[in-house]
C-alpha cells in the first residue's frame, strides 16, 4: 500500500533552501513532511548528551537505536517541534555544533540503518515530501518525483547566517562558509549514502531565485499539478 503513496524527495546540501521549500511544498500539497536531518541532529544531540564519543560507531549506533525521537506540530503551525526521549530539543538541535555532530554520526552505517524504518514510516496518504541527503537515492529510491536543490556555497552561507542571526545565535559569515564547505565535503565523500543527486533527480539551482519561484518550478514537476 505504501508504494501507492506518492513521495516527492528533496535532497541537497545545507543552506540550499530545502527546509523552507519542503515545508511550503508540503503545505501546498497537503502532504506529510519528513525533515530527516532533524533525526540525525537528534541522534547527534542524544549521543553528545550521553557523553558518547561521536567516533565510537558501535556506541553511537546503540544510541540511535534506543533514542526515542518524536515530531510534534507546533501550536503556531509553523516549525515542527522535535522531542528526544520526551524532551523538546527543537532549539538545541539547530545549532551549528549539533549540525556538525549530525554530519559526523550520519557517516556511521549502523546509525543510517537504525533510522531507515523510522523514515519510511512517514510515507502515509495522501503523500510525503521528504527532505534530506539520501531521500531519492536510498530511503525513497522508488519515488516518482525527485529534486536535488543546490546553491553556491557563498549564498548558502549568507542564508544560514541570516537564519542564525534571526534566532539570536552569534556566528561569523567566514566561520559559517568554512563549516558549510567542510560539511559538504564530508557528506559528499562518505562511503554510505553520500550526498549526490539520484540519476533520475531534477537538479534545481536556487542561487538568486526566490523561494516562491522554486516552489512553483517543483510543483510543475509533479504529475497532475
Ligand atoms: O539537513 P540538516 O542540515 O538538518 O542535516 C544535518 C546533517 O545530517 C547533515 O550534515 C547530514 C546529515 N543528514 C544525512 O546524512 N542524511 C539525511 N537524510 C539528512 C541529514
Amino acid at each position: 500500500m505504501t508504494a501507492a503513496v506518492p513521495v516527492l524527495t528533496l535532497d541537497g546540501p545545507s543552506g540550499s533552501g530545502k527546509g523552507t521549500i519542503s515545508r511550503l511544498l508540503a503545505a501546498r500539497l497537503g502532504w506529510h513532511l519528513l525533515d530527516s536531518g532533524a533525526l540525525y541532529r537528534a541522534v547527534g544531540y542524544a549521543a553528545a548528551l550521553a557523553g558518547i564519543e561521536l567516533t565510537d560507531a558501535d556506541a553511537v549506533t546503540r544510541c540511535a537505536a534506543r533514542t526515542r525521537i518524536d515530531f510534534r506540530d507546533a501550536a503556531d503551525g509553523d516549525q515542527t517541534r522535535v522531542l528526544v526521549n520526551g524532551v523538546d530539543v527543537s532549539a538545541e538541535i539547530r545549532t551549528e555544533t549539533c549540525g556538525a555532530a549530525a554530519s559526523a554520526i550520519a557517516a556511521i552505517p549502523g546509525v543510517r540503518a537504525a533510522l531507515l524504518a523510522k523514515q519510511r514510516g512517514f510515507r502515509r496518504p495522501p503523500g510525503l515530501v521528504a527532505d534530506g541527503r539520501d531521500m531519492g537515492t536510498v530511503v525513497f529510491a522508488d519515488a516518482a518525483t525527485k529534486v536535488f536543490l543546490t546553491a553556491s556555497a557563498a549564498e548558502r552561507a549568507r542564508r544560514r547566517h541570516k537564519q542564525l542571526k534571526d534566532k539570536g545565535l552569534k556566528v561569523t559569515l567566514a566561520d559559517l562558509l568554512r563549516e558549510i564547505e567542510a560539511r559538504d565535503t564530508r557528506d559528499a565523500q562518505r562511503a554510505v549514502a553520500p550526498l549526490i543527486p539520484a540519476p533520475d533527480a531534477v537538479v534545481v539551482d536556487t542561487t538568486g531565485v526566490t523561494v516562491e519561484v522554486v516552489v512553483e518550478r517543483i510543483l510543475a514537476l509533479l504529475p497532475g499539478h
Side-chain angles (χ1 to χ4, degrees):
M1 108 74 182
T2 50
V5 177
V7 181
L8 165 61
T9 62
L10 270 114
D11 290 307
S14 158
S16 57
K18 279 180 307 144
T20 308
I21 289 162
S22 308
R23 207 163 43 242
L24 289 171
L25 283 166
R28 280 280 292 271
L29 293 163
W31 287 7
H32 298 281
L33 175 65
L34 166 62
D35 171 7
S36 61
L39 295 176
Y40 288 94
R41 285 172 182 268
V43 171
Y45 177 83
L49 192 70
I52 296 168
E53 228 18 272
L54 298 184
T55 48
D56 184 341
D58 289 343
V60 180
T61 298
R62 279 196 301 276
C63 175
R66 70 167 178 259
T67 301
R68 214 181 68 235
I69 308 164
D70 298 300
F71 292 113
R72 272 274 154 86
D73 285 338
D76 56 12
D78 187 22
Q79 291 272 0
T80 304
R81 313 302 299 176
V82 181
L83 279 70
V84 167
N85 295 324
V87 179
D88 188 335
V89 294
S90 313
E92 290 85 339
I93 63 162
R94 293 298 156 200
T95 62
E96 286 308 290
T97 313
C98 199
S103 168
I105 60 99
I108 302 171
V111 170
R112 306 201 71 86
L115 294 178
L116 200 54
K118 185 161 184 72
Q119 295 176 83
R120 291 190 174 145
F122 279 79
R123 187 174 196 168
R124 292 189 305 268
L128 175 69
V129 177
D131 160 352
R133 302 291 192 287
D134 63 340
M135 299 295 100
T137 49
V138 178
V139 183
F140 302 107
D142 65 331
T145 316
K146 302 180 183 179
V147 171
F148 191 87
L149 285 182
T150 59
S152 69
E155 169 125 356
R156 288 186 283 127
R158 269 195 303 275
R159 288 179 189 166
R160 200 87 180 128
H161 188 242
K162 183 176 178 311
Q163 250 177 18
L164 295 171
K165 233 176 56 191
D166 290 348
K167 283 185 190 159
L169 298 168
K170 268 199 215 110
V171 48
T172 72
L173 192 58
D175 281 349
L176 216 46
L177 182 58
R178 247 194 318 274
E179 174 58 35
I180 280 178
E181 285 172 339
R183 183 129 64 104
D184 280 0
T185 308
R186 210 161 43 224
D187 290 347
Q189 290 181 352
R190 69 177 173 227
V192 200
L195 173 63
I196 43 159
D200 49 347
V202 176
V203 178
V204 177
D205 190 335
T206 70
T207 311
V209 186
T210 65
V211 163
E212 292 74 19
V213 169
V214 176
V215 166
E216 292 307 326
R217 262 189 215 167
I218 296 174
L219 283 173
L221 297 173
L222 288 164
H225 285 84

